Amino acid sequence: MSDADRLFAEVREHARQTALLASTASVLEWDERTYMPGAAGEYRAEQIAQLAGMAHARWVDERFGDNLTRLADQLHGDRTTAIGATVAELKRQYDKKTRLPQSLVEELARTSILGQQVWSEARRDDDFAHLRPVLEKLFDLKRAEAAALGYRDSIYDPLLDEFEPGASTAEVRAVLAALRDALTPLARAIAGSGRRPDVSLLERQYPVDAQREFARAAAARVGFDFARGRLDTTAHPFCASLGPHDIRLTTRYSEREFCDAFFGTLHEAGHGLYEQGLPPDEFGLPLGEAMSLGIHESQSRLWENLVGRSRAFWEHLFPAARSAFPQTLASTSLDDFYFAINDVRPSLIRVEADEVTYNLHIFVRFELEQALLADDLRVADLPAAWNERYRDYLGLTPPSDAVGVLQDIHWSGGAIGYFPTYALGNLYAAQFFEQAESEVGPLNEQFRRGEFQPLLGWLRQKIHRHGRRVRAAELVQEVTGRPLSHEPLLRHLERKLGPLYGMK
């Protein structure tokens, strides 16, 4: 065995052992948000903080760092091979983590878990004052994290990099501005069309047990493997990867709301399909990790919207929906149902927003969290600032904080810098879908026949199997032959919504 082979084998084993600690923490975090008794919250935070500290100590291990440095020198930064890409990404993460004090890592982990628990109570009670102290502490901790990591242009940059490696605040701001400018006239045209679907048909009686079975069957139909995953209930849906063959989806149900559980499940199944498509023998290593949160979000939004809200999808699935909800949908036509699930109008809740106005919700959060980090906005003033931006962007004023500033779990869980990846995901999804159609053939014809494997196979080959081999922007260029653009998303929306709303 050569010196380089020996070093890489040692590095690989060290990284995989560190990943075992992280995946153990993920099990505890999943349990905390699903089945954990409420009184256990404080101890759970200590458990996760302990594991976070242990994992961090392994990440900054001096021998591990020396081995990475020696390998990186020998490989000259070449990422074109599997070994080169693995070493380069591990070295990048090592360099970042060595800048973070272990005490800060542990306190962030502890406060994030406690913050999620306080958020759940505050949202339930419509009580922002209850969340305010922990939110203030979290933003202080994230400022400390950004300072430790270092930045040149924006304090937001190192936090964004955690979720979208290689992206800068300035680049994302420019991309989102172009998207906003393209979506605004489309939203106005739809509002002025005078056409409105009957959305009340989605608010009839949909028994929870029937919803659960129908949504689970749909997730399995598009390819999610329930032998390697499961579906549970939570307050704020998410997908958790607990190991290479253990992917947990979550959703929430309301008997008077069809879309929330069904499209929420399809969304999380998209995340799960990505996780199940990563190379299992690379688990714990960069080539077994998702490329970025934006790419991850592209997979969930693709299956939720470009597939799940297409007419072809429901031409295949609507008979099964009628069987699942015979009294509710017996007199409902496919045309009316399809129009209702593609209703476009400003709304208060991000996760329930339509494809056009969804990104407006992201702009609000992107702007506010930058202002909070830069100390241009106090946490105490956040509810008023939130409501002001909702009036500006969506023409709506939240009647309560529960459906306003308290609706998302992200900030209370320390996920600051996360929100722009949702909008990036929409852009990636449309551009990937357009390319897939050019290579795989007419996707809608396949969906009508219930054939989803050709699209999933294309995604597995073009996106999932690469892990973190390259950056997201590079992947988009490789797969589609052009840089990221808002134009594919705009074309998709105009093609679908034009006929529904009587526009050319």
Side-chain angles (χ1 to χ4, degrees):
M1 178 182 289
S2 70
D3 181 58
D5 289 339
R6 180 187 60 76
L7 286 174
F8 184 68
E10 187 174 335
V11 160
R12 180 185 173 95
E13 182 59 23
H14 186 93
R16 289 177 68 91
Q17 292 299 318
T18 305
L20 285 175
L21 280 175
S23 64
T24 302
S26 294
V27 175
L28 293 176
E29 290 171 4
W30 169 83
D31 177 72
E32 184 261 335
R33 293 175 63 183
T34 50
Y35 296 116
M36 185 193 76
E42 188 171 341
Y43 186 68
R44 178 58 49 84
E46 292 302 319
Q47 290 175 310
I48 292 173
Q50 176 84 350
L51 288 170
M54 293 168 65
H56 182 73
R58 288 187 59 83
W59 264 110
V60 301
D61 177 80
E62 188 174 345
R63 181 181 177 90
F64 180 58
D66 288 344
N67 287 343
L68 282 172
T69 299
R70 290 171 63 187
L71 279 168
D73 289 343
Q74 292 178 31
L75 294 167
H76 306 292
D78 179 17
R79 296 181 67 111
T80 60
T81 66
I83 291 177
T86 298
V87 170
E89 181 60 21
L90 286 175
K91 182 69 164 59
R92 186 189 77 88
Q93 293 184 40
Y94 171 81
D95 289 342
K96 288 181 63 175
K97 291 180 187 296
T98 53
R99 298 177 197 145
L100 297 174
Q102 182 160 325
S103 58
L104 175 60
V105 171
E106 292 177 356
E107 189 58 28
L108 267 168
R110 180 183 297 108
T111 308
S112 295
I113 293 300
L114 292 173
Q116 290 176 156
Q117 295 161 14
V118 174
W119 167 82
S120 182
E121 298 163 356
R123 181 171 176 265
R124 179 196 64 205
D125 299 335
D126 188 20
D127 184 4
F128 180 78
H130 183 44
L131 181 63
R132 175 182 162 184
V134 73
L135 208 54
E136 289 173 337
K137 183 176 181 180
L138 276 164
F139 272 93
D140 285 342
L141 289 169
K142 297 304 281 189
R143 289 188 199 96
E145 180 184 7
L149 290 170
Y151 55 90
R152 184 177 62 184
D153 298 321
S154 169
I155 190 174
Y156 195 78
D157 280 345
L159 304 182
L160 173 64
D161 184 77
E162 186 66 22
F163 302 108
E164 200 66 15
S168 72
T169 307
E171 291 168 345
V172 170
R173 189 183 294 120
V175 168
L176 297 192
L179 177 60
R180 180 194 61 219
D181 292 346
L183 290 179
T184 301
L186 177 60
R188 284 202 200 101
I190 290 172
S193 71
R195 295 193 180 187
R196 291 289 179 271
D198 177 11
V199 296
S200 69
L201 64 88
L202 301 173
E203 299 163 355
R204 298 170 183 167
Q205 191 75 22
Y206 289 90
V208 167
D209 287 345
Q211 285 193 61
R212 183 180 295 110
E213 290 304 312
F214 184 65
R216 189 181 191 280
R221 189 72 190 86
V222 300
F224 185 79
D225 182 1
F226 278 97
R228 297 192 293 147
R230 56 180 290 138
L231 176 64
D232 293 279
T233 307
T234 190
H236 193 105
F238 64 98
C239 170
S241 177
L242 309 187
H245 304 294
D246 189 358
I247 311 302
R248 309 292 177 95
L249 312 181
T250 63
T251 194
R252 61 189 180 196
Y253 303 94
S254 168
E255 287 206 346
R256 291 286 182 177
E257 175 56 62
F258 173 81
C259 289
D260 198 11
F262 182 82
F263 289 107
T265 301
L266 210 56
H267 178 99
E268 301 307 335
H271 283 303
L273 288 169
Y274 187 10
E275 291 292 334
Q276 290 182 340
L278 292 168
D281 59 342
E282 295 285 345
F283 183 78
L285 297 165
L287 297 189
E289 296 175 343
M291 186 168 293
S292 76
L293 263 295
I295 295 297
H296 224 310
E297 193 64 21
S298 78
Q299 302 307 284
S300 59
R301 299 293 283 177
L302 184 149
W303 288 102
E304 175 193 357
N305 290 327
L306 284 93
V307 177
R309 293 184 192 270
S310 69
R311 184 180 177 90
F313 179 84
W314 287 102
E315 286 177 8
H316 169 68
L317 206 62
F318 196 58
R322 276 183 163 161
S323 296
F325 311 104
Q327 296 180 335
T328 309
L329 295 176
S331 61
T332 300
S333 70
L334 173 59
D335 286 344
D336 289 343
F337 183 84
Y338 173 61
F339 196 8
I341 64 171
N342 285 291
D343 177 43
V344 175
R345 72 181 76 189
S347 61
L348 290 169
I349 306 299
R350 174 185 63 84
V351 296
E352 298 172 4
D354 59 83
E355 290 181 80
V356 175
T357 64
Y358 180 92
N359 294 291
L360 302 178
H361 294 257
I362 303 306
F363 303 153
V364 168
R365 291 152 175 81
F366 181 49
E367 293 173 4
L368 289 176
E369 62 184 1
Q370 288 179 79
L372 287 162
L373 281 169
D375 272 334
D376 293 332
L377 175 67
R378 298 186 310 155
V379 170
D381 298 327
L382 183 55
W386 179 285
N387 292 349
E388 180 183 359
R389 276 175 170 76
Y390 261 72
R391 286 192 294 271
D392 291 344
Y393 276 111
L394 290 142
L396 301 171
T397 300
S400 70
D401 288 337
V403 295
V405 70
L406 290 173
Q407 67 181 268
D408 294 308
I409 196 173
H410 301 62
W411 290 338
S412 58
I416 297 162
Y418 189 118
F419 276 117
T421 66
Y422 286 118
L424 291 173
N426 288 330
L427 295 170
Y428 294 145
Q431 197 154 327
F432 289 148
F433 191 88
E434 195 171 76
Q435 186 67 27
E437 182 138 45
S438 73
E439 296 183 20
V440 178
L443 292 174
N444 281 330
E445 291 182 11
Q446 297 167 24
F447 299 162
R448 288 187 187 96
R449 298 191 296 268
E451 297 171 3
F452 304 102
Q453 185 56 43
L455 174 59
L456 180 57
W458 186 90
L459 294 169
R460 292 270 197 259
Q461 178 68 21
K462 299 289 186 175
I463 297 166
H464 301 177
R465 70 183 180 91
H466 294 295
R468 290 197 171 192
R469 181 179 59 82
V470 295
R471 295 285 174 261
E474 296 173 87
L475 183 72
V476 171
Q477 184 71 47
E478 283 185 10
V479 172
T480 69
R482 57 193 188 280
L484 182 65
S485 167
H486 66 273
E487 292 176 358
L489 178 59
L490 193 62
R491 282 193 289 269
H492 156 70
L493 293 172
E494 289 175 341
R495 268 195 307 267
K496 179 165 76 170
L497 301 174
L500 288 173
Y501 288 93
M503 302 179 300
K504 292 184 179 179

